[in-house]
Amino acid sequence: MILKKMKMEDWFIKTASCQYNFSESGVPDFTLNEFFKKIKTNKSILNNIFLGNNDTYGSLDLRKEISRLYSTVRPENLITTNGTSEALYIFFNLFLNKKSKILLLYPAFPLLYLIPQALGAKVHFLDVLQFQDKKELSKRLILEIKGIRPDLLIINIPHNPAGFTFNKKEIAEIGQVSKKYKVNILFDEHYRFLPINFSEKILPSGYDIVSKFYKNVFAVGSVIKCVGIVGIRVGWLIANKITLNKIRDYKDYTTHCVPLINETITGLAIRNIAKITPEFIARIKNNWLLLKNSQLVKQNKIILNYQLEGGCVCFPKINSFNSLKLAKILATKYNTSIMPGEVFGQKGYIRINLAQATKDFQNLLKNINSIIKNEKNKSIFN
Ligand SMILES: Cc1ncc(COP(=O)(O)O)c(C=O)c1O
């Protein structure tokens, strides 16, 4: 298997020294001290953690904690992995081959198509940016499932980078059609713990909804990006017992286990999630409103597409300005990193993180405005 280079990681490396980081897709990360202060817990809890090998399925304590995030999942229905990246890598390697057909909402987190493509699978992309609203998107998605009849449908909700999610009814409909056409579904629910403008504290899980009536459904999940512990690298995969056993055996060839120290911190984050996420959610909402009401949007310099419903990124279009040039000027002149759409294969768009300090976010908007204005003036006088 020959894997293409991940342009996204290249961009992260290039702009790593920027003081203001709006490129990442997670909330700002804590130090260990800050994290324990936030969850009001004494750090001494870490003193007796066993530093030997951990259970390859994941410690029972963490699997219990994770299963409480779902209504249909028990600890024996999941395996923990080093990031959802490991879960996805193993899952794709086990189940995809040259004959496989995938259907994926696009743009997407690159690993979701680069690994299937490297394995020779045919990936059908449904471009979410061509629709005016989500109703149209979900209608079209149903048609695509019926028409393509993929072996695997990958649904990432809340969506990175577009920020929308599907509601329970839409998810159930996707599940019913997939069942009818014998399409396996993989939900990637990485950003479920950052609901924006929902009454629920955690967004409903596609796995919970669909697994009630269809057995060929899988899910990956994680809290690390929603609670500011991304370096802890814990994710999980939910599947039937046969699949989990295969994944367990494959994991002997990758990382063998997730370190117990990382699993313990993840367990603490899940147990204390109500102490962590509300502040981030409030900030994301506020920054999203600032963007929506900004001169950039009012003057059509930036065009928003979907309403932000979950996660902490959005993917607006930059009107009449080169997105890569904008990102480069921000990085070199303003010490600020945003993600150019080119990284996702979408020239003319930018991904912006909405979970950063509001003052910095206001500055970002101001700086984008002046870059677009100055560059336009330059071209008039040149
Ligand atoms: C949709 C989605 N899935 C999976 C991943 C992989 O995340 P990790 O391996 O850090 O858990 C990411 C990371 O940004 C993502 O956005």
Side-chain angles (χ1 to χ4, degrees), residues 90-108:
I90 298 178
F91 183 83
F92 291 149
N93 269 281
L94 281 175
F95 297 108
L96 301 182
N97 56 49
K98 290 192 171 74
K99 290 189 195 136
S100 310
K101 272 192 290 181
I102 313 281
L103 178 56
L104 175 70
L105 302 178
Y106 189 80

Side-chain angles (χ1 to χ4, degrees), residues 8-9 12 25-26 81-88 108-112 156-161 188-191 220-222 224-225 230 233-236 351:
M8 183 180 274
E9 298 308 316
F12 282 136
S25 59
T81 49
N82 285 276
T84 57
S85 297
E86 185 185 30
L88 292 165
F109 178 61
L111 194 149
L112 296 176
N156 163 224
I157 42 170
H159 189 263
N160 172 17
D188 178 338
E189 304 180 319
H190 216 298
Y191 303 97
V220 288
S222 165
I224 58 174
K225 294 209 170 193
V230 78
R233 305 296 308 136
V234 175
W236 58 84
R351 187 179 76 179

Side-chain angles (χ1 to χ4, degrees), residues 295-308:
Q295 288 307 312
L296 282 169
V297 169
K298 285 188 180 146
Q299 295 170 359
N300 266 343
K301 290 175 186 159
I302 276 189
I303 301 170
L304 302 178
N305 31 61
Y306 292 92
Q307 280 300 318
L308 183 73

Side-chain angles (χ1 to χ4, degrees), residues 11 23 315 323-324 327 338-346 349-351:
W11 183 258
S23 271
F315 199 62
S323 43
L324 185 58
I338 59 163
M339 181 78 74
E342 280 79 354
V343 163
F344 289 90
Q346 294 279 0
Y349 290 81
I350 52 171
R351 187 179 76 179

